[in-house]
Amino acid sequence: METHYEFNDLKALLSMRGVESEMDIEQRFSDIAEILLTKTAIRKGERLYYLTDIEFYWFSKNHKDTITYPRNCNVGDWFFHNSGVDIAFDSYVSTSVKNGKRKPVLDGTERFGGILIRGMKPETNWLADGEVKTFDGPYKAVDELFDRFSAIETPSDFPILVPYNHSGNIQTSPRKNLLVRKTAKEKVSGILRGNYYDVEQHLQELTDSFNLYLSKPYRYFL
């Protein structure tokens, strides 16, 4: 029987508890996408934004999506990285320190990931010239949401997810720009070298995983 989730279910779904198989993980992505794209807005002060384009990333022992940025996060944290900002899943990865630098280590206990914001649009138009502006692309979205905040006082307009029902026809596709001007092995080698300690022996396995998830429809958009 199909389950219909609401905004109040989002925190539990983002925990990623109870999902181990690839089928369960992909169903969880779909359930979360429905909430984020049709039952949620981001409130920043008096402004509301609808999410229009999101991508899912998750790394665990049964779902080694190599492109996923490692992190230690609580459910629903904003997680900033070189590609933009994620709404984080409950995430854990072991770390080790060498030569004064701490990096993650893949030891089989890791479960981490999040949802990249690729696009959003305002609920109402506040521009003087009447143009309906959208923010397409992860850098435009993160720049609009996190442009400036007080360094002296707790900001009252910090972005937060809120319930807000709206309609939309959700579509899916493979994620964008995962492999640009590189082979899969070159891409994965760079990821492992930049993000982890002691994973060189897993290069072929994680390259195979990268290729497996490259074409998965983990992008959801309106």
Side-chain angles (χ1 to χ4, degrees):
M1 183 174 65
E2 185 178 359
T3 303
H4 294 281
Y5 291 101
E6 299 295 334
F7 178 84
N8 290 338
D9 300 308
L10 183 59
K11 186 173 181 179
L13 294 174
L14 289 171
S15 74
M16 294 298 284
R17 300 303 176 196
V19 292
E20 297 295 340
S21 71
E22 190 160 314
M23 182 180 298
D24 289 342
I25 290 167
E26 293 180 359
Q27 182 61 54
R28 180 64 59 92
F29 290 173
S30 179
D31 294 337
I32 293 171
E34 181 182 356
I35 295 175
L36 290 178
L37 294 176
T38 66
K39 298 180 174 68
T40 301
I42 300 175
R43 185 179 69 212
K44 180 183 178 183
E46 297 181 355
R47 295 179 177 180
L48 288 172
Y49 302 84
Y50 298 143
L51 294 171
T52 59
D53 195 346
I54 56 178
E55 290 179 345
F56 285 78
Y57 296 85
W58 177 246
F59 192 107
S60 65
K61 64 181 181 180
N62 295 326
H63 192 274
K64 295 181 179 181
D65 188 7
T66 314
I67 197 75
T68 307
Y69 285 100
R71 83 245 359 228
N72 281 290
C73 286
N74 294 319
V75 170
D77 282 354
W78 292 117
F79 176 72
F80 297 86
H81 49 72
N82 291 340
S83 301
V85 66
D86 287 358
I87 302 166
F89 296 125
D90 189 23
S91 297
Y92 169 79
V93 62
S94 297
T95 60
S96 179
V97 178
K98 294 184 180 181
N99 300 318
K101 186 173 183 179
R102 183 177 295 278
K103 282 187 179 183
V105 177
L106 299 179
D107 61 7
T109 65
E110 61 277 345
R111 293 170 56 86
F112 59 82
I115 304 148
L116 175 69
I117 297 177
R118 287 200 58 89
M120 62 185 196
K121 62 182 292 186
E123 175 210 18
T124 56
N125 175 35
W126 57 78
L127 300 178
D129 60 6
E131 177 188 2
V132 177
K133 186 170 180 60
T134 61
F135 301 93
D136 296 323
Y139 295 124
K140 290 181 181 179
V142 75
D143 287 347
E144 173 66 16
L145 291 175
F146 300 96
D147 54 347
R148 60 177 179 81
F149 296 99
S150 174
I152 299 172
E153 300 175 347
T154 301
S156 60
D157 58 343
F158 194 78
I160 188 171
L161 300 179
V162 295
Y164 202 103
N165 289 337
H166 52 101
S167 61
N169 179 29
I170 298 176
Q171 303 177 66
T172 64
S173 77
R175 296 167 296 185
K176 298 182 68 175
N177 302 325
L178 298 190
L179 193 60
V180 180
R181 295 185 297 275
K182 291 183 178 180
T183 67
K185 184 163 283 189
E186 289 170 341
K187 179 76 171 183
V188 172
S189 180
I191 291 170
L192 301 186
R193 185 172 57 252
N195 291 335
Y196 299 100
Y197 284 137
D198 304 326
V199 286
E200 291 79 6
Q201 70 272 23
H202 301 303
L203 175 59
Q204 189 57 56
E205 176 195 6
L206 294 179
T207 300
D208 292 342
S209 291
F210 178 88
N211 283 321
L212 172 65
Y213 294 111
L214 193 62
S215 60
K216 288 283 189 176
Y218 288 170
R219 176 186 175 215
Y220 293 75
F221 59 98
L222 298 176

